[in-house]
Amino acid sequence: MRLTRFFLPILRETPKEAEIVSHRLMLRAGMIRQESAGIYAWLPLGLRVLNKINAIIREEQNRAGAIEILMPTIQSADLWRESGRYDAYGKEMLRIKDRHEREMLFGPTNEEMVTAIVRAHVKSYKDLPLNLYHIQWKFRDEVRPRFGVMRSREFLMKDAYSFDLDAEGARHSYNKMFTAYLRTFARMGLKAIPMRADTGPIGGNLSHEFIILASTGESEVFCHKDFLDMAAPQANIAFEDRAVMQGVFDQWTSRYAATSEMHDAQAFAAIAPGDQVSARGIEVGHIFYFGTKYSEPMQAAVNGPDGKETVLQMGSYGIGPSRLVAALIEANHDDNGIIWPDSVAPFKVGLANLKVGDAATDAACADFYEKLERAGVDVLYDDRDERPGAKFATLDLIGLPYQVIIGPKGLADGLVEVKDRRAGTRDMLTPEAALARLTA
């Protein structure tokens, strides 16, 4: 993509309303634009990151056996009355009426709707286990939205819902999602620690939040330092092997880890002082096992192996992709801007032409750009007639993993400069060597 043909509304000044790093950088880098309180438009650069995150989530959900669907944003109030949550949910639910005075709502979550779908179509234990997920916009009318997309009113959510015949099967489904989440966040370059958590309005008796440690985190969290060195499961792990999945769960819950709501000061104090980690954390995922909380009042049941009707066991599993964009920035930035991990970067390479209009430089940049594109590398070519300092500042701000800088001086020696944004290293290489490095 040539920058002269791209929409990248960079802000020179930091907006006054932006309180945390991710909000400031997302606005300055032209990733989002606020349309009203807690509601944002996603501009091209931000949308590219969001799509990269969604792709990783989909791959890991599919790998774990979940099946993608897409449910509506607008739901009937009658479904929520069946579960008993319509009146209990609170003012965060945006309640509306259509032109026929039917009570509707803008969905904050989808337990009721997915239960109704499964209730209508799944009648036998032979159709189980089943895990359905979707990636859909949600709305929760936060009383005080803040921190940009970290705590917004409209947000993108991946929510999955498992259905099993018995509690043993439901725990296996929970463990599969637990494992999938560890892999998902690791692929984004994040160390996400599963912590015992409150179930909140979703309900249930088993819940874990996946927390990344960051100084700008919303709440205090507590854990054993061993978590910092644990490696995520490999891609070829046997998701259908119950013993293997239970082993992953046992390993990642064998040390103390809890959010502030579930913190046990006495148990934490029993950990050797050198192994205690007390820090700020950002929630990037939340999973729940809640048994028959929804299936029983909504009469979602199947015929069991013995011919008797059996109420379904359920769990739900959420990741907020829009929130993850901000969390990634909180964990990956410096004074100059964002530093994207390769897997979620909007472009892998930023190519800067230091002398637009110079025939040799223009030709070298065009050739390099075309070869990167043919190799399938996402590249943003800064072909603007701007001073070099402005180009360097833009590339640092938007945080692309690698910068290739081409100018007359380097070309005179047959070289281009390659900068690693995270490491800060700069190497003068031949164009062929630079291409080999970036396409490896």
Side-chain angles (χ1 to χ4, degrees):
M1 175 61 68
R2 289 175 177 267
L3 190 49
T4 52
R5 299 175 187 170
F6 194 57
F7 182 53
L8 186 65
I10 297 288
L11 300 182
R12 296 184 184 277
E13 302 295 328
T14 299
K16 294 179 181 179
E17 72 272 17
E19 300 178 60
I20 62 173
V21 169
S22 59
H23 194 191
R24 292 196 294 268
L25 290 176
M26 290 183 77
L27 289 170
R28 285 197 56 218
M31 295 178 66
I32 56 173
R33 181 182 185 275
Q34 183 170 328
E35 301 301 330
S36 60
I39 299 176
Y40 294 86
W42 286 78
L43 306 183
L45 194 75
L47 185 59
R48 288 182 71 94
V49 177
L50 197 59
N51 287 340
K52 292 283 186 73
I53 288 171
N54 288 341
I56 292 173
I57 290 171
R58 281 190 170 96
E59 287 172 10
E60 294 305 325
Q61 289 292 288
N62 296 345
R63 192 193 307 276
I67 303 166
E68 186 171 10
I69 61 173
L70 184 60
M71 291 177 276
T73 57
I74 303 300
Q75 303 182 31
S76 168
D78 291 341
L79 280 177
W80 286 66
R81 289 196 174 98
E82 282 190 55
S83 71
R85 280 208 300 176
Y86 185 69
D87 294 320
Y89 199 88
K91 292 185 177 180
E92 287 75 26
M93 180 188 289
L94 182 62
R95 294 166 168 84
I96 55 181
K97 289 185 178 180
D98 66 15
R99 67 194 301 165
H100 302 291
E101 294 298 308
R102 288 182 293 236
E103 292 181 290
M104 313 291 284
L105 58 101
F106 195 127
T109 185
N110 279 75
E111 281 79 9
E112 284 81 1
M113 182 171 285
V114 76
T115 302
I117 290 171
V118 171
R119 172 180 67 185
H121 299 288
V122 177
K123 304 297 184 182
S124 170
Y125 74 95
K126 295 179 181 179
D127 298 321
L128 302 174
L130 181 64
N131 190 321
L132 302 175
Y133 79 95
H134 75 162
I135 299 176
Q136 178 62 285
W137 291 97
K138 303 281 196 291
F139 189 91
R140 294 177 189 167
D141 201 2
E142 295 276 356
V143 64
R144 193 161 77 97
R146 56 192 304 216
F147 302 150
V149 299
M150 187 73 78
R151 189 184 295 174
S152 56
R153 293 195 295 165
E154 186 181 62
F155 55 94
L156 192 61
M157 177 66 68
K158 185 288 303 181
D159 35 337
Y161 302 93
S162 62
F163 299 85
D164 286 272
L165 184 66
D166 52 32
E168 183 182 351
R171 276 306 307 265
H172 179 51
S173 293
Y174 187 93
N175 291 345
K176 287 167 69 175
M177 286 292 101
F178 186 97
T179 302
Y181 275 39
L182 292 172
R183 282 195 43 76
T184 298
F185 299 126
R187 286 186 58 188
M188 297 177 194
L190 295 172
K191 172 65 72 174
I193 302 170
M195 300 191 177
R196 291 189 303 110
D198 184 28
T199 57
I202 301 295
N205 54 15
L206 177 63
S207 176
H208 286 85
E209 286 183 12
F210 288 77
I211 302 289
I212 63 169
L213 305 183
S215 59
T216 52
E218 298 171 289
S219 59
E220 192 171 12
V221 296
F222 307 85
C223 68
H224 195 290
K225 77 170 187 179
D226 284 358
F227 282 108
L228 304 180
D229 297 319
M230 287 187 184
Q234 296 296 311
N236 62 353
I237 193 165
F239 275 99
E240 297 308 320
D241 189 317
R242 293 192 178 193
V244 170
M245 291 296 100
Q246 188 62 47
V248 173
F249 180 85
D250 291 344
Q251 177 193 2
W252 283 86
T253 56
S254 62
R255 299 287 188 269
Y256 184 88
T259 59
S260 56
E261 295 89 351
M262 303 295 286
H263 180 49
D264 183 336
Q266 186 174 355
F268 187 66
I271 301 172
D275 292 333
Q276 294 177 350
V277 175
S278 174
R280 308 295 294 180
I282 300 173
E283 177 196 338
V284 291
H286 201 163
I287 63 177
F288 307 83
Y289 165 53
F290 41 67
T292 61
K293 176 180 172 63
Y294 300 94
S295 54
E296 188 166 10
M298 296 185 69
Q299 299 179 0
V302 296
N303 290 322
D306 57 2
K308 295 181 180 179
E309 190 174 77
T310 303
V311 176
L312 294 172
Q313 296 279 328
M314 291 179 58
S316 71
Y317 316 91
I319 293 176
S322 53
R323 178 186 178 86
L324 256 174
V325 177
L328 280 157
I329 294 172
E330 293 293 333
N332 297 277
H333 69 272
D334 62 14
D335 291 342
N336 296 319
I338 304 165
I339 307 174
W340 291 113
D342 287 19
S343 60
V344 296
F347 299 92
K348 180 178 180 179
V349 177
L351 172 61
N353 183 336
L354 296 190
K355 194 168 184 180
V356 173
D358 176 81
T361 307
D362 288 349
C365 286
D367 181 65
F368 203 90
Y369 174 62
E370 290 168 7
K371 287 176 178 175
L372 282 176
E373 285 210 314
R374 284 203 300 270
V377 175
D378 286 334
V379 54
L380 181 64
Y381 174 21
D382 191 344
D383 58 342
R384 299 172 299 164
D385 188 10
E386 286 274 1
R387 57 185 178 82
K391 297 190 176 190
F392 299 152
T394 295
L395 290 178
D396 279 349
L397 174 62
I398 65 176
L400 309 186
Y402 301 97
Q403 299 173 16
V404 177
I405 300 157
I406 300 179
K409 185 176 179 181
L411 286 177
D413 298 323
L415 302 173
V416 300
E417 182 178 337
V418 178
K419 176 182 174 181
D420 184 313
R421 177 71 177 89
R422 184 173 299 277
T425 56
R426 298 172 179 267
D427 296 304
M428 298 301 296
L429 304 171
T430 64
E432 295 75 18
L435 280 166
R437 176 180 295 186
L438 296 171
T439 57

